[in-house]
Amino acid sequence: MTNAEIKKEILDILQAIAPDEDLTNLKDEVSFRDQIELDSMDFLDIVMELRKRHRIQIPEDDYIQLDSMQSTVAYLEPLMKDVVA
Amino acid sequence: MYDTIIIGAGMSGLAAGIRLAYFDQRVCILERHTTIGGLNSFYRLRGRDYDVGLHALTNITPKGTKKGPLARLLRQLRMSWDDFQISPQLGSQIAFPGVRLGFSNDLDLLRAEIGREFPRQVDSFTRLVEQVIEYDDLDPSHAEMSAREHLTDLFSEPLLVEMLLCPLMFYGSAREHDMDWGQFSIMFRSIFMEGLGRPHAGVRLILKLLVRKYRALGGELKLKSGVERIAVEDGRVVGVVLKGGQQLAARHVLSSAGWCETMRLCDDGQPVSIPGKNSAPGNGPARNRNAGRLSFCETIAALDMEPGKMGHSGTITFFNDSPRFDWRQSEAPCDLRSGVICSPNNFDYQRPLDDATIRITVLASHAYWQQLGESAYKLEKLRWYDRITESAVRFVPDYRLHVIDTDMFTPTTIVRFTGHDNGAIYGSPEKQFDGVTHLENLFVCGTDQGFVGIIGSITSGISMANMHCLRD
């Protein structure tokens, strides 16, 4: 997956977790928490959806990397480069 | 080998099952009864549909609300607000001798009612609301503080303290005479600040949604599959043995059977204490905690016309016939001094319900009802049906001439359907909020984990599945 494809996949996951959120104006560099209503259960779901969809294991210590779109894509880039979009 | 076995196909077990099956676990829910639902169920009798358990859903926030338990639950189950088809209440009441406080899904009504009946208590009420909002569910330091003492300090009118406690205790206090401050805050928000609602089709809609979703995700559900024992080896659960002798292996077991009930199922012998919970010197082993003692009778009357047409448009009426509200195990077969009158017709539906009913719930003595022989039991049900109804019509229009069919449940019925000791609807007064037990892969969810009501039970299943069964 390219970074653009990873971003698209993350948006798709966020939409699945929070179907009522409008994600069109989501800013890449700003924390997800400051833009959409996500609690700790929802963050767990981002991790779990990545595991379900792509068999990617993210250790609990790395959850902090999933703060914004920018940091998430940067973190996932090496893990998802071989994933077929 | 299952990833997780869940004991009990009630709201919490089904919700936990959905979470785990959604994330590709091999899950099996074991239900000893012939039907799902546990405490919240439904049945058809002589051509009419009835609900058990559910009077109303709490925590009702409008569609599009992003915060709060209902919104979180829908996100976690990947369901939409419209799936639940919730209609809000028309308006409810707390009725004590000479004083009535109305409330709706708008807190301002209750505030105005308190202003009318107790003009000098309004500022204290505002402070109470602030404190309830501030209460942090995740910070347990004040959770077990006495709500009664706190309210008594805050209000100079004892009657108002009783009137505020009455509905919140009826809808979820496992503790007698008092409530934990944490539980009070959660219930106050769910009932007075968020509000009450009901799906047009009642509890069956929610149960069917949950079970359909669970099965579509590949979850297994075994009915008539009571657990004989939980098999333990070297401090770990290895699986369960069913009443029929069948053995099922699992990596985790999540039990909604109740705390004491689950401990009794474990085949590892002597009670042990749980780290961090009641393990102070001198305390008995936490595994042996007290079962709850608060049980109920409920009468159900089918009517020949909607309650609204006979001048009764209230959704829920909480009544008490003296200035003091006594919330404890009933000494009489039924405690006729107080109760809850629920009219499922009185919600703001798009179209009316097919049947008209009124239900009355009162505290009842499990010890009395469980010792009756079959014929005495039937006779006593009839006798107490009449007494309960007679007590309730002191507070709502007398509907007795419009009754066309009746039914009633007792603590005995509750035991049969839920397996809870003493027919204790709200379970043990001691909760296990983190869901852990003395065994590293056995967890509890549901009533004895600490959340009550339908939204609470579903949330309990979700959060215990997330916390304990999902990550490894």
Side-chain angles (χ1 to χ4, degrees):
Chain A
M1 274 190 173
T2 65
N3 283 5
E5 284 163 343
I6 295 174
K7 180 179 169 182
K8 189 163 166 291
E9 182 65 4
I10 297 297
L11 281 173
D12 196 61
I13 287 174
L14 289 174
Q15 201 69 76
I17 295 170
D20 294 333
E21 291 281 357
D22 179 7
L23 302 173
T24 44
N25 296 317
L26 200 70
K27 293 192 183 69
D28 285 1
E29 64 288 353
V30 181
S31 173
F32 290 131
R33 273 180 206 268
D34 294 337
Q35 305 180 76
I36 39 183
E37 263 325 315
L38 290 181
D39 59 22
S40 55
M41 280 193 186
D42 299 318
F43 272 92
L44 172 67
D45 273 25
I46 300 178
V47 174
M48 295 303 301
E49 285 281 356
L50 284 165
R51 187 165 101 178
K52 178 180 163 91
R53 295 175 182 208
H54 304 294
R55 304 278 147 209
I56 294 171
Q57 297 279 5
I58 300 175
E60 217 159 317
D61 290 346
D62 290 353
Y63 288 6
I64 193 166
Q65 306 287 339
L66 311 179
D67 180 59
S68 67
M69 184 61 86
Q70 201 171 48
S71 68
T72 305
V73 174
Y75 175 76
L76 291 174
E77 188 183 351
L79 299 172
M80 293 183 75
K81 64 179 191 307
D82 297 330
V83 172
V84 181
Chain B
M1 165 84 91
Y2 289 102
D3 291 308
T4 305
I5 282 177
I6 298 168
I7 302 176
M11 296 283 176
S12 68
L14 289 168
I18 289 174
R19 288 290 297 170
L20 299 172
Y22 179 83
F23 289 114
D24 304 324
Q25 281 204 5
R26 209 175 152 219
V27 194
C28 184
I29 302 181
L30 301 172
E31 169 56 52
R32 69 177 197 167
H33 213 79
T34 52
T35 183
I36 58 170
L39 193 56
N40 288 287
S41 199
F42 55 89
Y43 61 98
R44 200 166 168 82
L45 179 71
R46 297 183 283 272
R48 291 184 188 83
D49 288 332
Y50 297 98
D51 278 356
V52 186
L54 172 112
H55 283 175
L57 291 177
T58 58
N59 305 90
I60 299 311
T61 41
K63 184 177 176 176
T65 307
K66 290 170 186 168
K67 283 195 169 157
L70 177 62
R72 182 167 60 192
L73 169 164
L74 293 172
R75 287 204 302 275
Q76 287 277 303
L77 297 178
R78 307 287 189 269
M79 288 180 173
S80 86
W81 198 93
D82 291 327
D83 289 340
F84 279 57
Q85 298 171 31
I86 300 161
S87 301
Q89 65 163 325
L90 293 180
S92 296
Q93 272 197 346
I94 308 160
F96 275 52
V99 190
R100 282 179 188 249
L101 295 174
F103 66 95
S104 66
N105 291 2
D106 178 355
L107 183 66
D108 288 340
L109 174 62
L110 180 58
R111 198 193 309 274
E113 290 279 288
I114 290 173
R116 181 174 52 78
E117 297 282 2
F118 303 95
R120 284 182 299 184
Q121 305 296 313
V122 176
D123 292 344
S124 298
F125 183 72
T126 304
R127 269 205 300 285
L128 174 66
V129 172
E130 286 164 7
Q131 290 167 357
V132 162
I133 293 172
E134 274 168 28
Y135 173 76
D136 181 357
D137 303 11
L138 303 175
D139 173 10
S141 53
H142 295 104
E144 291 177 18
M145 177 175 102
S146 158
R148 179 180 283 280
E149 277 174 28
H150 186 67
L151 294 178
T152 305
D153 288 343
L154 200 56
F155 294 104
S156 57
E157 290 270 10
L159 180 58
L160 180 56
V161 173
E162 304 291 325
M163 292 184 81
L164 289 172
L165 284 173
C166 171
L168 304 188
M169 285 177 157
F170 258 117
Y171 274 3
S173 181
R175 187 167 157 185
E176 289 177 72
H177 188 59
D178 204 346
M179 261 182 116
D180 296 346
W181 171 248
Q183 183 72 354
F184 177 89
S185 299
I186 292 170
M187 301 287 300
F188 188 99
R189 283 184 223 156
S190 351
I191 292 171
F192 293 138
M193 300 177 70
E194 294 167 344
L196 305 177
R198 183 181 182 276
H200 188 272
V203 76
R204 71 198 64 213
L205 175 99
I206 301 168
L207 283 168
K208 282 178 181 172
L209 275 175
L210 293 176
V211 81
R212 203 176 297 146
K213 179 123 198 168
Y214 173 68
R215 284 196 159 127
L217 292 166
E220 280 178 60
L221 170 63
K222 292 184 196 285
L223 297 172
K224 290 185 275 183
S225 299
V227 173
E228 175 71 29
R229 60 189 171 88
I230 295 172
V232 180
E233 280 174 24
D234 304 325
R236 282 182 62 82
V237 171
V238 292
V240 302
V241 180
L242 301 185
K243 298 256 190 240
Q246 192 187 356
Q247 299 186 22
L248 302 171
R251 294 196 302 121
H252 311 95
V253 171
L254 182 58
S255 170
S256 65
W259 178 268
C260 302
E261 297 82 348
T262 301
M263 291 303 119
R264 275 202 306 272
L265 288 174
C266 294
D267 67 1
D268 58 343
Q270 288 307 302
V272 289
S273 61
I274 299 166
K277 180 84 186 176
N278 302 338
S279 48
N283 275 5
R287 203 175 151 187
N288 264 354
R289 64 185 60 164
N290 293 328
R293 306 195 306 169
L294 295 168
S295 195
F296 298 94
C297 277
E298 182 167 282
T299 66
I300 305 164
L303 309 176
D304 64 3
M305 65 159 80
E306 293 238 338
K309 293 192 176 125
M310 56 183 91
H312 176 55
S313 59
T315 307
I316 314 280
T317 304
F318 298 91
F319 70 87
N320 186 62
D321 69 4
S322 77
R324 198 187 134 94
F325 174 57
D326 214 6
W327 180 249
R328 58 182 79 239
Q329 187 188 34
S330 181
E331 282 164 24
C334 293
D335 187 339
L336 299 175
R337 297 171 298 168
S338 63
V340 187
I341 304 161
C342 164
S343 313
N345 301 85
N346 292 341
F347 289 82
D348 190 14
Y349 303 119
Q350 305 278 336
R351 59 192 163 84
L353 298 184
D354 294 338
D355 300 313
T357 48
I358 288 188
R359 296 160 54 184
I360 307 161
T361 313
V362 297
L363 286 163
S365 158
H366 171 260
Y368 178 78
W369 288 95
Q370 63 89 30
Q371 52 85 37
L372 296 172
E374 199 178 334
S375 60
Y377 179 74
K378 280 185 184 157
L379 211 61
E380 285 298 274
K381 266 171 71 165
L382 294 173
R383 215 155 70 95
W384 286 94
Y385 172 91
D386 285 340
R387 289 184 177 176
I388 292 168
T389 311
E390 193 177 1
S391 168
V393 297
R394 296 178 294 165
F395 297 89
V396 293
D398 193 343
Y399 58 84
R400 285 177 288 186
L401 290 175
H402 297 281
V403 175
I404 48 178
D405 200 1
T406 68
D407 198 19
M408 176 161 165
F409 76 67
T410 72
T412 308
T413 326
I414 299 169
V415 172
R416 193 184 326 137
F417 281 83
T418 70
H420 278 198
D421 289 354
N422 304 334
I425 287 204
Y426 300 130
S428 166
E430 278 177 73
K431 301 303 182 191
Q432 189 69 31
F433 292 108
D434 60 8
V436 303
T437 68
H438 64 298
L439 300 173
E440 61 177 32
N441 58 344
L442 171 67
F443 308 98
V444 293
C445 68
T447 311
D448 278 350
Q449 183 262 320
F451 296 137
V452 298
I454 289 178
I455 302 293
S457 315
I458 294 177
T459 303
S460 169
I462 291 172
S463 54
M464 292 304 106
N466 286 353
M467 204 182 291
H468 301 302
C469 306
L470 202 51
R471 296 184 204 206
D472 52 49

